[in-house]
Amino acid sequence: LNIWKNPADRNKLVNELNEKEFVDNLEVEFVLKNGEILNGLVSAGIIEVDNEKAILSVTRDITERKKIETKIKENEERFRAIFEQSASGMCLTSIEGKLITVNSPLCEMLFYSKGELVGKHLNSITHPDDLRIGADAVIQMKKGKISKLVFEKRFLKKSGEVIWAHINSALLRDEHNNPKYFIIQMEDITPRIE
């Protein structure tokens, strides 16, 4: 029938059936009669019918799922590029304030490596006198009463030197509208303050 886009997928199915007598969730691409590609998830096993070995297989069409996965991957790559190539320092923090990921401009601003910053609590690089700045607004964001937060506060470089930063923060939510992450942009405004 010439339905296998990649004949190696058929060989893999046959080899696994010969070795284990079953295949579970093998992803393959099939060519439909009209030339379109169908992404399939194949499970198969060897059974006996009238004392003869036969293959019983079930194929689920996962074409739409694969399209969605591709779009998600493209969006993640786009976000990663925007995040890393931003002129501003950027970070993604947990709801509790731990740094999940940081971009290079933030590392350069604070003189930390990415490895040194990831896992730290945002408060550990915040000037002690400024820990409460924005705290009440963060609570309001978590409750959904405000969508973004803009403020200025001081941070500590790795050397202990103080810098002033202009902060833009937004709360990212999951599909059920539960708070998931904070995305924060920081711009060094020390020259303007001093």
Side-chain angles (χ1 to χ4, degrees), residues 87-90 103-112 117 155-158 161 163-167 185-190:
S88 300
M90 293 181 73
N103 70 355
S104 296
L106 182 64
C107 294
E108 291 164 13
M109 186 186 310
L110 298 172
F111 288 88
Y112 280 98
L117 281 175
F155 288 89
L156 303 173
K157 291 184 178 182
K158 185 176 180 179
E161 183 184 347
I163 66 163
W164 279 92
H166 178 81
I167 307 295
Q185 287 183 304
M186 293 185 191
E187 187 178 343
D188 186 353
I189 58 167
T190 306

Side-chain angles (χ1 to χ4, degrees), residues 139-150:
I139 293 168
Q140 297 302 312
M141 285 176 79
K142 289 179 184 178
K143 291 179 180 178
K145 296 190 177 184
I146 57 175
S147 60
K148 60 183 177 178
L149 185 55
V150 178

Side-chain angles (χ1 to χ4, degrees), residues 99 102 106-107 110 112-121 125:
L99 294 161
V102 297
L106 182 64
C107 294
L110 298 172
Y112 280 98
S113 70
K114 287 183 182 185
E116 290 171 321
L117 281 175
V118 170
K120 278 186 175 289
H121 197 283
I125 57 170

Side-chain angles (χ1 to χ4, degrees), residues 47-170:
I47 61 169
E48 275 196 29
V49 177
D50 295 330
N51 293 323
E52 284 194 43
K53 286 189 174 184
I55 298 172
L56 174 65
S57 70
V58 175
T59 301
R60 287 182 281 151
D61 182 352
I62 59 167
T63 306
E64 285 306 310
R65 186 187 91 185
K66 294 298 281 183
K67 286 179 184 175
I68 291 168
E69 287 173 355
T70 299
K71 284 188 179 193
I72 289 171
K73 184 178 177 190
E74 287 169 359
N75 287 339
E76 286 174 351
E77 288 170 357
R78 191 176 303 118
F79 172 78
R80 224 175 278 117
I82 291 167
F83 183 82
E84 194 54 45
Q85 295 171 17
S86 172
S88 300
M90 293 181 73
C91 61
L92 196 65
T93 72
S94 68
I95 296 304
E96 297 77 29
K98 281 199 173 183
L99 294 161
I100 297 169
T101 188
V102 297
N103 70 355
S104 296
L106 182 64
C107 294
E108 291 164 13
M109 186 186 310
L110 298 172
F111 288 88
Y112 280 98
S113 70
K114 287 183 182 185
E116 290 171 321
L117 281 175
V118 170
K120 278 186 175 289
H121 197 283
L122 200 56
N123 286 346
S124 71
I125 57 170
T126 301
H127 190 284
D129 294 342
D130 291 358
L131 290 173
R132 292 296 311 151
I133 294 176
D136 293 334
V138 165
I139 293 168
Q140 297 302 312
M141 285 176 79
K142 289 179 184 178
K143 291 179 180 178
K145 296 190 177 184
I146 57 175
S147 60
K148 60 183 177 178
L149 185 55
V150 178
F151 58 92
E152 294 174 356
K153 71 193 254 181
R154 293 170 291 177
F155 288 89
L156 303 173
K157 291 184 178 182
K158 185 176 180 179
S159 64
E161 183 184 347
V162 175
I163 66 163
W164 279 92
H166 178 81
I167 307 295
N168 284 300
S169 180

Side-chain angles (χ1 to χ4, degrees), residues 2-21:
N2 232 5
I3 61 171
W4 298 88
K5 181 179 178 199
N6 184 354
D9 289 339
R10 181 186 182 282
N11 293 340
K12 184 175 182 180
L13 177 74
V14 170
N15 290 339
E16 284 193 37
L17 283 173
N18 283 332
E19 288 174 23
K20 304 183 220 170
E21 295 196 347

